[in-house]
Amino acid sequence: RPIGRIFPEAVLWSREYYAAVAERVDQVTVRMYDTGIPFSWAYSAIVGWLTPRVWQAMAEGQAELLIGVPTHRDEGGGFSAGAETLESALTGIAYAIPRDGDAPPQLGLAIHAYGTTDDADWATWRRYWLGLPAE
């Protein structure tokens, strides 16, 4: 609730809702952009805070969880291009993954939008998500 008061666009459905959905579907994608959060550090923190709450709520179901991360740069509609970057999103998700490196087996990422993902974004993806050199 406090997050919703500070950043009204950053809304999380209830744990019960995610659990009910996970019991009925094979895959859930949660869009972690268009939050209206204007600061990169705050956006990373919110993504890092929300990600494990969603996967823990879905733990009983068999659904794969995809976290939607941004590569588009169009301002408006709650999107802040300066804060909501692929690097900021992946930084938040990295903080959410347990220290032993074992993310839940059903956790994946969904890039939005593929058509706007440039070489720099792919280098960020390789470095932050795959742990590979940026090339």
Side-chain angles (χ1 to χ4, degrees):
R1 290 183 188 191
I3 290 171
R5 289 190 180 124
I6 297 168
F7 302 111
E9 298 288 329
V11 177
L12 181 67
W13 287 323
S14 72
R15 180 180 188 88
E16 294 77 20
Y17 179 80
Y18 280 112
V21 170
E23 291 175 1
R24 293 171 172 81
V25 300
D26 295 327
Q27 186 179 74
V28 173
T29 302
V30 177
R31 185 178 79 180
M32 294 278 189
Y33 49 88
D34 295 346
T35 63
I37 297 172
F39 307 108
S40 179
W41 62 267
Y43 174 68
S44 291
I46 294 297
V47 171
W49 184 82
L50 291 173
T51 298
R53 279 151 182 80
V54 175
W55 87 50
Q56 290 163 3
M58 294 178 51
E60 299 301 317
Q62 297 299 311
E64 176 185 28
L65 171 62
L66 299 176
I67 301 296
V69 295
T71 60
H72 63 288
R73 289 157 185 85
D74 298 329
E75 290 281 349
F79 181 72
S80 175
E84 296 184 38
T85 65
L86 180 60
E87 183 176 350
S88 296
L90 295 178
T91 298
I93 293 166
Y95 283 121
I97 294 174
R99 293 287 179 227
D100 59 11
D102 288 335
Q106 77 275 21
L107 178 65
L109 300 179
I111 294 177
H112 178 80
Y114 181 80
T116 61
T117 307
D118 61 20
D119 290 341
D121 292 323
W122 287 118
T124 298
W125 177 268
R126 284 190 296 276
R127 185 172 61 251
Y128 282 85
W129 187 247
L130 301 178
L132 300 174
E135 291 182 10

